[in-house]
Amino acid sequence: MDKLRAVLGGHDGNNDNRNVLQAANEASTLGWGNRMKGFLVCMVIGVVCTILGVCCLFIPKVGLIIFIVFYTFGNICSLVSTMFLMGPVKQLKRMCDKTRAFATVIMITCLVLTLCAAFWWKIFALTLLFVILQVLAFAWYSLSYIPFARLVMFCDFKISN
């Protein structure tokens, strides 16, 4: 409504004090109900793609490639679903926070490398390696949102060995 008032009041609606992130945040404001619907839709698509990928794993010759594609797409949908809850700008800021920036870079790199190895390079062993790394990276990234979870997991591993 403020944008409409600014345009009707003779202002062009542009504010030089805003940066790109603020403009993106204003353009993507949704009500809580729409955020929940978007979150649920993306999360369900992500879970369904992951389960479908596991079911396709047993198809001869092409099953593993189909699994890799569906699993990677499922992870991407799950990641995007959280952007509906927090908003894209806040989610990107949290992803780049110093406590999880390394986990974010590793996770996104594994997602991209998995798809590159499957479709561009077409090296089966490398694709399988990147999927395994993708699973570990996504778990590491997810644990970064739980306070001290990665530290406790590392300490427990270190004590038991």
Side-chain angles (χ1 to χ4, degrees):
M1 199 64 177
D2 292 334
K3 292 178 187 177
L4 182 60
R5 281 191 203 128
V7 170
L8 292 176
H11 305 294
D12 60 357
N14 291 332
N15 187 356
D16 293 335
N17 296 332
R18 293 186 322 166
N19 62 21
V20 175
L21 291 178
Q22 290 170 337
N25 194 30
E26 287 177 12
S28 64
T29 54
L30 296 173
W32 183 247
N34 287 338
R35 285 181 185 266
M36 285 304 294
K37 288 174 189 173
F39 167 74
L40 289 174
V41 166
C42 283
M43 185 57 78
V44 167
I45 289 172
V47 169
V48 166
C49 283
T50 302
I51 292 171
L52 190 61
V54 170
C55 293
C56 292
L57 189 59
F58 303 105
I59 297 174
K61 295 186 181 179
V62 296
L64 192 58
I65 297 297
I66 293 173
F67 163 73
I68 289 165
V69 171
F70 276 124
Y71 184 78
T72 302
F73 185 70
N75 277 344
I76 292 170
C77 285
S78 297
L79 185 64
V80 168
S81 72
T82 59
M83 289 187 182
F84 279 100
L85 291 179
M86 291 186 242
V89 174
K90 191 173 182 181
Q91 174 70 15
L92 290 173
K93 283 181 180 179
R94 284 191 173 183
M95 288 173 72
C96 297
D97 188 39
K98 67 178 183 175
T99 59
R100 68 183 59 91
F102 184 69
T104 301
V105 169
I106 296 297
M107 182 193 60
I108 292 173
T109 302
C110 287
L111 287 170
V112 170
L113 289 176
T114 300
L115 294 175
C116 286
F119 293 117
W120 192 17
W121 304 322
K122 298 183 182 189
I123 302 172
F124 176 75
L126 195 59
T127 306
L128 192 58
L129 173 69
F130 287 138
V131 164
I132 293 168
L133 291 175
Q134 187 182 134
V135 170
L136 296 173
F138 203 75
W140 183 258
Y141 171 78
S142 298
L143 285 174
S144 74
Y145 282 93
I146 302 170
F148 304 109
R150 294 184 300 176
L151 181 63
V152 169
M153 186 179 82
F154 178 72
C155 290
D156 286 344
F157 176 74
K158 195 172 182 180
I159 291 171
S160 65
N161 284 338

